[in-house]
């Protein structure tokens, strides 16, 4: 039995071992899975803690950045507020200054209005005196006609002649007497009318000049540039003269370097080019780097600055005189007058002064002051281009204004303000008068001593050519000529003729700005104006 059951016992042992091994494997697998789950749980917990730490750190940094941004925003807001308060304060001060300026201007306008009323009353009184003089002249003419009729009737009754025969005999007998009487009446009436008209025009001109009483300084365009040392002259010339040739080519102006210490001369007929050359050379000397490429760069930059300055000066002049709507070409030419002088008088300031005077005279005559100011401002516009075009500056200016759409009054004023054509518009006479006032006022222009003496001698020599003239004296800087005639060889009528002929000789033979008053002295004085 025992031998029979031995094999089954061994088989039972193998099955138990297999079962135990399988249980051990399963238990190990379960343990391994539990261990992996535990390890995964621990790793997950650590990840969660790390995420919390990162989130907390991010929150702390966000809070810090938030505080910093808020602080910077507050500082910027304070700065903006401070700047705004400063600008408001500046604006308030500017507003107060403008209000004070307006108050002062209002006071000045009140004073000027009072003066204008006073002068208006003076003009009315002068007009009344002129009207009474004309009435007196008419009355005298009527008396003369009545006397002539009485003489005719008396001659007819005495002589028994017909009316035509008596008329011929009367005219023949009284020819010399009537000629003498007519000359005396004409001289007297001409003197009275001239005095009345002269007084009225003098009051108008004085009123206009008093209202526009601007300070005037003689101006001249310099053509010299100071250099610090003689070595700088050599640097301006450059090696074999390349620098000075490059400068003259870029500017169109001649540079004269001589033995005069510390001075270089720029010479040219165009005042704008001359100013560009002067400023460019001054900049090059200050910079110290002088070579052809630098010269071209500085000259081009200076040319742009001068062009901007020209437009600025033109617009400022138009705004000052209150002349709107000018073409850009006209504004440019107006600005170029800033660099042009006439007898050392700046032409742009002269044009502005003529504009103001023309406007005031036109308003006192009941005409359009705006048109007169426009005519006065643009009357010398041709001087800005007279070196580029042929002809005198009146014709050049008239052509330019016509091409740029100016009115007929403005064009004619530019063409005829020197009395070279037949006057067609009253504004031309006003501009010519204002131009003469501006040019002839004391200190406005100056000339060389040699030219001054020559002009005085010419005036006296022309007067000495006439028969009966004993002495002639030019006074008031050539604005007046006093002539003394021989009282034994000339009478009053001949003296008046001599005065007239001398004035006409001045107009034919001389060129001069403004007017020359000729006064002939005998037993009576006679005055003519050479225009």
């Amino acid at each position: 039995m025992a031998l029979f059951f031995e094999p089954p016992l061994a088989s039972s042992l193998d099955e138990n071992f297999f079962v135990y091994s399988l249980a051990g494997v399963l238990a190990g697998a379960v343990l391994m899975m539990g261990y992996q789950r535990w390890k995964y749980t621990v790793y997950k917990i650590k990840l969660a803690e790390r995420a919390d730490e990162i989130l907390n750190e991010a929150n702390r940094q966000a809070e810090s950045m938030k505080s910093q941004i808020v602080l910077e925003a507050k500082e910027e807001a304070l700065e903006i507020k401070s700047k705004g308060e400063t600008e408001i304060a500046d604006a308030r001060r500017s507003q107060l200054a403008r209000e004070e300026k307006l108050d002062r201007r209002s006071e000045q306008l009140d004073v000027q209005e009072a003066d204008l009323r006073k002068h208006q009353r003076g003009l009315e009184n002068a007009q009344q005196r002129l009207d009474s003089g004309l009435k007196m002249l008419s009355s005298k003419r009527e008396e003369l006609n009545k006397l002539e009729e009485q003489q005719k009737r008396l001659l007819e009754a005495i002589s028994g002649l017909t009316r035509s025969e008596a008329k011929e005999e009367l005219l023949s007998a009284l020819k010399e007497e009537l000629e003498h009487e007519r000359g005396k009446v004409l001289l007297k009436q001409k003197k009275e009318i001239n005095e009345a008209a002269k007084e009225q025009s003098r009051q108008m001109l004085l009123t206009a000049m008093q209202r526009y009483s601007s300070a005037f300084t003689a101006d001249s365009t310099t053509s010299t540039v100071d250099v610090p040392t003689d070595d700088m002259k050599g640097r301006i010339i450059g090696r074999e003269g390349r620098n000075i040739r490059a400068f003259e080519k870029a500017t169109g102006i001649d540079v004269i370097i001589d033995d005069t210490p510390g001075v270089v001369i720029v010479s040219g007929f165009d005042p704008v080019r001359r100013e560009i050359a002067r400023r460019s050379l001054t900049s090059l000397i200050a910079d110290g780097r002088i070579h052809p490429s630098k010269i071209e760069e500085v000259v081009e930059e200076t040319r742009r600055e001068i062009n901007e300055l020209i437009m600025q000066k033109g617009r400022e002049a138009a705004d000052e005189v209150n002349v709107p709507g000018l073409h850009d070409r006209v504004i440019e030419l107006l600005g170029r007058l800033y660099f042009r002088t006439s007898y050392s008088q700046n032409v742009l300031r002269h044009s502005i002064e003529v504009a103001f005077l023309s406007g005031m005279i036109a308003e006192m005559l009941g005409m359009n002051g705006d048109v007169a100011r426009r005519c006065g401002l643009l009357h010398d516009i041709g001087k800005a281009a007279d070196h580029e075009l042929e002809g005198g500056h009146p014709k050049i200016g008239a052509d330019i204004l016509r091409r740029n759409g100016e009115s007929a009054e403005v064009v004619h004023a530019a063409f005829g303000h020197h009395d070279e054509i037949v006057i067609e518009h009253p504004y031309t006479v006003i501009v010519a008068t204002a131009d003469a006032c501006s040019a002839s006022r004391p200190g406005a222009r100056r000339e060389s001593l040699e030219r001054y003496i020559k002009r005085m001698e010419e005036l006296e020599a022309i007067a000495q050519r006439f028969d009966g003239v004993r002495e002639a004296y030019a006074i008031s800087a050539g604005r007046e000529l006093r002539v003394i005639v021989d009282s034994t060889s000339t009478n009053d009528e001949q003296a008046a003729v001599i005065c007239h002929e001398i004035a006409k000789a001045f107009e034919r033979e001389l060129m001069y700005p403004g007017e020359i008053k000729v006064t002939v002295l005998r037993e009576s004085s006679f005055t003519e104006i050479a225009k």
Side-chain angles (χ1 to χ4, degrees):
M1 289 298 291
L3 293 175
F4 178 78
F5 285 102
E6 284 181 0
L9 178 61
S11 176
S12 175
L13 290 174
D14 291 336
E15 291 179 356
N16 291 331
F17 176 76
F18 175 75
V19 171
Y20 293 149
S21 298
L22 181 59
V25 171
L26 292 175
V30 171
L31 290 175
M32 181 59 69
M33 291 177 62
Y35 174 74
Q36 291 294 333
R37 183 177 292 277
W38 174 79
K39 187 176 180 181
Y40 173 75
T41 303
V42 172
Y43 178 73
K44 186 177 180 181
I45 292 172
K46 289 182 178 180
L47 286 178
E49 292 177 353
R50 180 60 180 167
D52 292 337
E53 292 177 358
I54 294 173
L55 183 59
N56 293 332
E57 182 65 23
N59 290 332
R60 287 194 298 272
Q61 292 180 358
E63 289 294 331
S64 177
M65 292 177 65
K66 178 181 178 181
S67 300
Q68 184 177 359
I69 291 173
V70 171
L71 181 59
E72 291 177 354
K74 290 182 178 179
E75 292 177 353
E76 185 176 358
L78 290 175
E79 183 179 356
I80 293 173
K81 180 179 179 182
S82 176
K83 184 177 181 180
E85 291 176 351
T86 303
E87 292 178 353
I88 292 173
D90 294 340
R92 289 177 178 174
R93 287 193 295 269
S94 177
Q95 181 67 24
L96 291 175
R98 286 196 294 269
E99 291 178 356
E100 293 177 356
K101 184 177 180 180
L102 288 175
D103 293 339
R104 291 194 298 270
R105 183 62 177 168
S106 178
E107 294 176 358
Q108 293 175 357
L109 290 176
D110 292 339
V111 173
Q112 292 176 357
E113 185 179 359
D115 293 339
L116 181 59
R117 291 174 179 170
K118 180 179 178 181
H119 291 302
Q120 183 67 27
R121 289 194 296 270
L123 290 175
E124 292 176 355
N125 294 332
Q127 185 65 37
Q128 292 177 358
R129 292 195 298 270
L130 180 61
D131 294 338
S132 62
L134 293 176
K135 292 179 180 179
M136 184 181 298
L137 176 61
S138 177
S139 176
K140 289 182 178 180
R141 287 179 178 175
E142 292 178 357
E143 292 177 0
L144 183 61
N145 292 332
K146 291 180 180 179
L147 179 62
E148 185 177 357
E149 290 294 331
Q150 292 176 1
Q151 289 178 346
K152 289 178 180 179
R153 289 193 296 270
L154 180 62
L155 286 174
E156 289 177 356
I158 294 175
S159 62
L161 301 174
T162 62
R163 182 178 180 85
S164 59
E165 293 174 347
K167 181 177 181 180
E168 292 178 359
E169 186 175 351
L170 177 64
L171 291 176
S172 176
L174 300 178
K175 182 177 181 180
E176 294 183 359
E177 183 179 357
L178 289 176
E179 287 291 335
H180 180 71
E181 290 295 331
R182 187 179 68 173
K184 290 176 63 177
V185 172
L186 289 176
L187 286 175
K188 182 178 180 181
Q189 297 301 324
K190 181 179 179 181
K191 183 178 179 180
E192 292 178 355
I193 294 173
N194 286 339
E195 288 178 354
K198 192 179 298 181
E199 178 65 24
Q200 185 175 3
S201 62
R202 186 184 297 113
Q203 291 295 331
M204 292 175 61
L205 291 177
L206 289 175
T207 301
M209 296 178 71
Q210 181 181 10
R211 290 174 59 191
Y212 183 75
S213 56
S214 65
F216 197 94
T217 303
D219 189 14
S220 62
T221 301
T222 182
S223 59
T224 61
V225 178
D226 296 332
V227 294
T229 61
D230 289 339
D231 295 338
M232 183 60 70
K233 291 184 178 181
R235 297 174 65 181
I236 294 173
I237 296 173
R239 181 180 300 176
E240 299 179 355
R242 63 174 186 173
N243 289 345
I244 193 170
R245 286 197 300 271
F247 186 83
E248 290 178 346
K249 180 179 179 181
T251 60
I253 294 296
D254 297 330
V255 180
I256 302 173
I257 301 178
D258 53 18
D259 296 334
T260 305
V263 171
V264 173
I265 300 174
V266 292
S267 176
F269 62 88
D270 190 332
V272 177
R273 289 183 184 175
R274 188 167 61 245
E275 181 66 13
I276 292 173
R278 187 188 68 82
R279 293 194 181 192
S280 300
L281 189 56
T282 303
S283 300
L284 289 170
I285 292 173
D287 185 82
R289 296 173 295 173
I290 304 177
H291 50 81
S293 60
K294 183 66 176 178
I295 289 172
E296 292 179 359
E297 178 184 349
V298 172
V299 170
E300 186 62 28
E301 182 180 355
T302 305
R303 184 175 287 111
R304 288 195 298 269
E305 293 176 357
I306 292 297
N307 290 335
E308 293 175 359
L309 180 61
I310 286 173
M311 296 301 294
Q312 176 185 347
K313 291 297 181 181
R315 293 190 182 96
E316 288 177 355
D319 293 340
E320 181 177 353
V321 186
N322 192 20
V323 176
L326 293 177
H327 193 274
D328 289 343
R329 173 60 175 167
V330 176
I331 292 177
E332 178 189 356
L333 293 174
L334 196 62
R336 291 174 70 91
L337 294 180
Y338 176 75
F339 299 100
R340 176 70 186 265
T341 58
S342 177
Y343 297 95
S344 78
Q345 186 181 26
N346 186 275
V347 179
L348 181 59
R349 295 309 309 172
H350 163 72
S351 299
I352 293 173
E353 183 175 3
V354 171
F356 279 115
L357 292 175
S358 300
M360 294 175 187
I361 294 173
E363 289 171 355
M364 284 188 286
L365 292 174
M367 300 170 65
N368 192 326
D370 294 335
V371 175
R373 280 192 296 272
R374 198 179 191 95
C375 294
L377 180 64
L378 303 178
H379 79 286
D380 269 346
I381 198 72
K383 288 185 177 181
D386 58 358
H387 59 280
E388 300 174 354
L389 303 173
E390 294 183 358
H393 75 272
K395 182 179 183 302
I396 295 173
D399 292 339
I400 292 173
L401 295 174
R402 187 182 298 109
R403 287 196 302 267
N404 288 279
E406 292 296 332
S407 62
E409 292 85 356
V410 179
V411 174
H412 193 272
F415 197 12
H417 69 276
H418 283 319
D419 296 332
E420 297 176 351
I421 60 174
V422 178
I423 304 300
E424 299 177 357
H425 297 281
Y427 293 100
T428 304
V429 180
I430 294 175
V431 171
T433 303
D435 180 56
C437 291
S438 175
S440 61
R441 60 187 298 186
R445 295 184 173 185
R446 62 166 180 252
E447 56 187 346
S448 63
L449 179 60
E450 294 80 5
R451 186 170 183 176
Y452 173 79
I453 294 175
K454 182 179 179 181
R455 185 159 60 86
M456 293 294 195
E457 292 175 349
E458 287 179 349
L459 294 175
E460 296 176 356
I462 291 174
Q464 292 285 355
R465 296 203 306 254
F466 291 87
D467 295 334
V469 175
R470 190 172 60 189
E471 297 175 356
Y473 302 98
I475 61 175
S476 300
R479 300 296 177 185
E480 182 177 356
L481 183 72
R482 298 281 178 88
V483 180
I484 300 176
V485 298
D486 189 358
S487 60
T488 60
S489 60
T490 58
N491 54 29
D492 289 347
E493 291 80 5
Q494 293 172 337
V497 172
I498 291 173
C499 180
H500 180 74
E501 293 298 329
I502 292 175
K504 291 299 180 182
F506 288 163
E507 294 177 357
R508 290 193 306 269
E509 303 178 20
L510 299 179
M511 296 293 294
Y512 49 88
E515 299 176 343
I516 298 177
K517 183 168 73 172
V518 180
T519 302
V520 175
L521 302 177
R522 188 183 169 270
E523 295 179 353
S524 302
S525 63
F526 306 90
T527 301
E528 289 285 346
I529 301 298
K531 299 180 180 177

